Amino acid sequence: MAIYEENREGVSGWFRLRRYSVERALYLMQRLSGIGIVIFAFVHLLYTGWHPGGWGDVILGIFVVYHTLNGLRLVLTEHGFLIGRPIRAVYPYRKGTLYGSQRYLVMVILALFVIFILIWSYVALVIQAG
Amino acid sequence: MSTDKEVEVKFRVFRFNPKTDFVPRWQEYKVKVNKSTTVLDALLKIKEEQDPTLTIRYSCRQAVCGSCGMMINDRQMLACFTRVLELNSDVIKVAPLKNYRIIKDLVTDFSELFQKEKQVKPYIIRHDVEELLNPTGTYKQTEEELLGYIQFADCIECGMCSSACPVSATDPLYLGPMILNRAYRFISDPRDLGFEQRLEAIDSEHGCWRCHFAASCSAVCPKGVDPAKAIQLLRRALVKKGVLGISSSKKVELIPMGHVKGKLELPKGWE
Ligand code: SF4
Ligand code: SF4
Ligand code: FES
């Protein structure tokens, strides 16, 4: 059948993370958080007074903080920074996009993400609720 | 000798002939392999000894021609460049590359890919017609200039990067990492003068802006090419041209060749 012959993965391809590098997982989360933010923005435009509150706030915070931090990483890498210079490919291959500065940046944004989310959750769940 | 010790391994092979079959099926074979047997060797053994109807494509058997890329245990790999026992798995799952049309069994159709590749004019473009027709010498380049593109020139066009890319999975028109890498390979070649002529294809909705830097292309490339790097450098050149207004004739400013100013980046043991 045509669909088998075509063999295209479609959206399920985004979710096939095993056996690839961590950047693919970051990409998936960037997509999902982006879609989440757009959905929230729509609801927010229709009912301007509404906001999720409590755990809803925490989830929205996760989306926004992740999307922003990872977005900053992408702004850098997608302008050719931190991915290494062209080199001669000699076995065992080390690809600049998967090692070194880019990877350190991944660790930094993930660490910042955890810190921001912990603070934000405290604000949303303890201070605002209390 | 321990290298000759044979082990029996189970192969689960994807079988599908779009002309006659309604749905694909998985067929199992048991093959004896030793330490040096590659997946391609094992598949050829199956074909010779058990099932001559199994269809595969290969030619060089040494990771040079780029014909034998397939999904081996759910990842894009060259069958001739992957040893069975190094996969460390009792069952080896072999399927055709994702995101290409299947011709039969493990053979995929690259004609669309090569058709798309023509858009980026994958050859050196020059304007000095007189010199091309009646050459008076060679086009010289320095070692530093060579290092600016040689990594991207190592591509064997196996198409595995474009198969792994999650953007190709949803956008059939996306040029994909193999082709964009190809474009950058020529743009960053100091002998080439065709940057402008390639813009229409590259600087477009389905060109380099479509990439989201998932870097799966670089993760699967068997030749150390790093197509994700090529794409980001391509974008850098386009941004410099569009935003900073640097003319495409000033290649040195558009294409990063950090090593021209600094130290040559040679791998260990090459000095
Ligand atoms: S870096 Fe770009 S081209 Fe490579 S796999 Fe990711 S999205 Fe595709
Ligand atoms: S860049 Fe690597 S994976 Fe992509 S086609 Fe070339 S050799 Fe194959
Ligand atoms: S047979 Fe040529 S690359 Fe595998």
Side-chain angles (χ1 to χ4, degrees):
Chain A
M1 258 197 330
I3 186 162
Y4 294 114
E5 185 177 352
E6 223 36 67
N7 202 22
R8 198 164 288 278
E9 289 180 295
V11 175
S12 73
W14 301 352
F15 292 85
R16 204 161 43 78
L17 301 178
R18 266 185 70 223
R19 307 184 138 262
Y20 295 105
S21 66
V22 60
E23 285 76 14
R24 192 175 179 115
L26 300 179
Y27 156 76
L28 172 67
M29 294 196 286
Q30 185 79 358
R31 292 240 120 166
L32 296 182
S33 59
I35 293 169
I37 293 169
V38 168
I39 292 175
F40 168 76
F42 262 113
V43 180
H44 187 64
L45 279 177
L46 287 175
Y47 308 99
T48 39
W50 178 82
H51 84 109
W55 282 102
D57 271 353
V58 173
I59 292 172
L60 184 63
I62 289 177
F63 284 179
V64 172
V65 170
Y66 177 79
H67 204 80
T68 312
L69 286 172
N70 192 47
L72 289 174
R73 177 182 71 95
L74 292 176
V75 167
L76 285 174
T77 52
E78 295 193 358
H79 286 84
F81 296 103
L82 305 175
I83 52 174
R85 296 178 298 183
I87 50 163
R88 200 185 281 275
V90 176
Y91 200 81
Y93 305 125
R94 279 173 67 90
K95 295 157 191 164
T97 49
L98 303 175
Y99 291 91
S101 328
Q102 202 279 123
R103 273 290 158 84
Y104 295 132
L105 186 61
V106 169
M107 291 177 212
V108 171
I109 67 134
L110 289 181
L112 284 176
F113 172 71
V114 172
I115 295 169
F116 279 126
I117 286 304
L118 286 179
I119 297 173
W120 172 240
S121 308
Y122 184 72
V123 172
L125 296 177
V126 180
I127 298 183
Q128 279 184 2
Chain B
M1 238 167 61
S2 64
T3 46
D4 293 323
K5 213 177 87 199
E6 294 221 316
V7 195
E8 195 174 73
V9 183
K10 203 193 278 174
F11 272 74
R12 261 168 69 81
V13 182
F14 180 98
R15 303 298 310 271
F16 180 51
N17 181 354
K19 294 216 176 69
T20 55
D21 303 346
F22 195 59
V23 288
R25 69 199 150 90
W26 292 91
Q27 196 160 342
E28 290 194 353
Y29 305 95
K30 287 198 174 113
V31 200
K32 284 215 164 77
V33 299
N34 66 28
K35 205 173 146 195
S36 61
T37 314
T38 63
V39 173
L40 181 65
D41 293 336
L43 290 171
L44 288 173
K45 212 167 157 192
I46 293 173
K47 196 172 163 67
E48 268 167 33
E49 296 168 6
Q50 303 180 36
D51 186 352
T53 64
L54 177 65
T55 311
I56 31 179
R57 174 176 58 207
Y58 69 100
S59 43
C60 70
R61 298 183 186 222
Q62 48 184 322
V64 171
C65 72
S67 330
C68 69
M70 51 185 78
M71 306 293 298
I72 299 173
N73 283 354
D74 292 322
R75 191 186 206 265
Q76 288 77 1
M77 298 196 202
L78 292 178
C80 68
F81 202 46
T82 309
R83 291 210 178 96
V84 178
L85 293 183
E86 277 174 4
L87 291 167
N88 263 331
S89 132
D90 301 332
V91 186
I92 316 281
K93 214 174 125 195
V94 192
L97 283 182
K98 289 277 182 191
N99 303 321
Y100 294 108
R101 207 179 60 77
I102 298 172
I103 296 176
K104 184 171 180 276
D105 296 344
L106 303 173
V107 182
T108 46
D109 185 358
F110 279 0
S111 50
E112 223 173 275
L113 183 75
F114 293 136
Q115 203 58 40
K116 265 198 273 178
E117 191 186 27
K118 287 186 187 155
Q119 291 178 33
V120 303
K121 306 189 194 314
Y123 39 82
I124 287 185
I125 297 173
R126 301 228 18 128
H127 308 316
D128 47 356
V129 184
E130 184 50 39
E131 173 68 23
L132 289 175
L133 293 175
N134 302 301
T136 56
T138 50
Y139 293 114
K140 293 207 174 83
Q141 51 185 321
T142 61
E143 174 75 7
E144 291 90 335
E145 286 172 326
L146 177 79
L147 282 178
Y149 70 86
I150 191 73
Q151 177 175 26
F152 311 117
D154 274 349
C155 170
I156 58 170
E157 308 218 312
C158 63
M160 300 206 297
C161 48
S162 296
S163 166
C165 174
V167 177
S168 303
T170 45
D171 178 9
L173 296 178
Y174 176 45
L175 288 180
M178 177 188 121
I179 297 171
L180 290 169
N181 172 75
R182 202 80 181 149
Y184 187 75
R185 176 256 173 271
F186 286 101
I187 286 172
S188 57
D189 190 318
R191 296 165 296 179
D192 180 89
L193 301 169
F195 191 18
E196 296 285 336
Q197 294 182 43
R198 298 192 180 93
L199 282 182
E200 195 188 331
I202 298 163
D203 189 4
S204 73
E205 191 193 342
H206 301 287
C208 71
W209 307 111
R210 202 68 163 187
C211 164
H212 293 282
F213 196 56
S216 301
C217 49
S218 295
V220 301
C221 177
K223 302 300 281 185
V225 171
D226 208 347
K229 189 200 278 172
I231 299 171
Q232 315 321 316
L233 294 180
L234 193 56
R235 288 209 260 225
R236 185 195 182 100
L238 289 180
V239 169
K240 277 191 171 175
K241 184 175 171 296
V243 180
L244 304 181
I246 298 173
S247 138
S248 57
S249 57
K250 291 192 191 139
K251 197 172 256 191
V252 196
E253 287 173 37
L254 289 179
I255 303 298
M257 289 188 215
H259 39 263
V260 172
K261 291 174 217 133
K263 193 174 143 282
L264 282 193
E265 192 163 325
L266 284 171
K268 278 197 199 80
W270 278 65
E271 285 88 343

